[in-house]
Amino acid sequence: MTAAAGLRGRDLALALVICLCWAFNFLTSAHALQEIPPFLFSALRMAIVLALLVAFMRPPPRSQWWRLGGIAMFTGVLHFGTSFLALKLAGNLSSPAIVTQTYVPMAVLLAWWWLGERFAWRTALGIGLSFAGVMVLGFDPMVLDRPLALFVMLGSSLMVAIGTVLMRRMTGVGMIDQQGWTAALSVLPLLAISAVVEPGGFAALREASWIGWGGAVYAAVFASLLGHGLFFKLVQRHPVAQVTPYLLMTPVFAVLLGIAFWGDRPGPALWIGGAMVLGGVLVIAIRTLQKKRPPVAEVTPEV
């Protein structure tokens, strides 16, 4: 299938399934975080992923250990831990779901700085539009009420952007190995951070109901394994930049779920700012596809 053809039929349905898996993860995780603190919840998610993949994992090439360790630290530990923290702090699903997409323009800027990758004015316009959208979104009363959550989510997006750029140069590591080893290298640091910054977390885990444990299982099985597994299948058949625009439905679905099931009441600033953020990401994806450059956004993060 050519790049211009877009996703059709089965592949379009797979993209929809991915978006729904990741969107529902915002909802199930928000419920679970009422019982389990964020970094401990992240460790639990990673432990489940590791348990499910350990039998299929292969050792990575020796030259890739340091890169895989960096990816695990920035993505598995810092991104997931702080994204769950931001979701808990925000008290809504809409703003975290939108702001997390800023990892795409951040990754473009990091690739320009670290790897010397250039971009034209249209991509720069997309970057500027996304960050301007965050500023507009920040004036929504729902966001202004808890501004710390916005800054934590921006920091989380920066962490996964760094992990994404590191991933660009990794070789000889498949999708299962990457997810498995990221989980394996993340569990202990997440537990250590939780022990320091989340006193009483382990006691809360012992008292957690099926909602807390179910949220962790959903995050591991449906968001990590199914969602990223299907994403990997799609990018085997299509350029990443061609798949990315379809995955922008994830925050849209998350906003709708927040309105329907979490009580979100986004105002005009969030709708306008959110449209600017996602519009900027869309511009970047389209320009990447048109220029046939290696994509800087090789993963699409979800909390």
Side-chain angles (χ1 to χ4, degrees):
M1 185 179 292
T2 64
L7 303 187
R8 298 177 182 176
R10 181 184 62 179
D11 288 348
L12 184 59
L14 291 179
L16 178 62
V17 171
I18 295 170
C19 293
L20 289 173
C21 285
W22 288 345
F24 271 99
N25 192 43
F26 284 91
L27 181 61
T28 57
S29 296
H31 280 290
L33 289 169
Q34 293 182 317
E35 300 184 359
I36 305 173
F39 283 93
L40 184 56
F41 182 76
S42 302
L44 184 59
R45 170 184 179 162
M46 290 298 179
I48 295 171
V49 170
L50 177 60
L52 294 173
L53 293 182
V54 66
F56 308 98
M57 291 162 49
R58 299 170 300 176
R62 184 176 301 178
S63 62
Q64 299 302 308
W65 271 113
W66 72 271
R67 191 176 300 276
L68 192 57
I71 293 169
M73 180 56 62
F74 284 105
T75 302
V77 178
L78 297 177
H79 163 63
F80 279 113
T82 54
S83 64
F84 285 125
L85 175 60
L87 183 60
K88 184 177 179 66
L89 291 172
N92 68 83
L93 309 187
S94 303
S95 57
I98 293 171
V99 174
T100 191
Q101 299 298 319
T102 57
Y103 91 97
V104 174
M106 290 179 183
V108 173
L109 292 174
L110 287 173
W112 165 71
W113 183 33
W114 285 352
L115 308 180
E117 296 184 4
R118 298 181 179 181
F119 53 84
W121 68 270
R122 292 182 182 87
T123 299
L125 178 64
I127 294 171
L129 183 63
S130 289
F131 289 133
V134 173
M135 296 180 63
V136 173
L137 180 149
F139 287 101
D140 187 272
M142 191 169 62
V143 181
L144 277 175
D145 187 48
R146 303 184 181 187
L148 180 60
L150 179 63
F151 292 103
V152 174
M153 183 54 76
L154 285 172
S156 175
S157 298
L158 177 60
M159 295 301 100
V160 79
I162 294 172
T164 299
V165 175
L166 288 173
M167 200 179 299
R168 288 288 306 279
R169 299 295 175 87
M170 190 166 63
T171 58
V173 182
M175 186 272 295
I176 291 178
D177 297 328
Q178 179 181 305
Q179 286 207 57
W181 284 108
T182 297
L185 296 173
S186 300
V187 171
L188 290 181
L190 284 167
L191 289 174
I193 293 173
S194 178
V196 173
V197 303
E198 296 170 341
F202 293 99
L205 182 60
R206 288 194 297 270
E207 298 174 2
S209 70
W210 67 269
I211 294 176
W213 285 93
V217 171
Y218 182 94
V221 175
F222 289 93
S224 285
L225 300 184
L226 181 60
H228 286 284
L230 292 178
F231 175 71
F232 181 74
K233 291 294 184 182
L234 283 182
V235 299
Q236 286 181 317
R237 297 196 286 264
H238 306 275
V240 176
Q242 183 177 318
V243 177
T244 300
Y246 295 91
L247 300 186
L248 291 177
M249 289 301 295
T250 297
V252 176
F253 289 153
V255 170
L256 296 177
L257 289 172
I259 294 172
F261 299 107
W262 194 254
D264 287 4
R265 294 296 180 264
L270 190 140
W271 288 112
I272 295 171
M276 293 170 66
V277 172
L278 300 184
V281 173
L282 181 61
V283 169
I284 294 169
I286 291 173
R287 290 301 299 166
T288 301
L289 185 62
Q290 290 175 341
K291 293 294 185 180
K292 294 183 173 58
R293 292 194 302 266
V296 296
E298 293 177 347
V299 295
T300 297
E302 32 68 36
V303 296

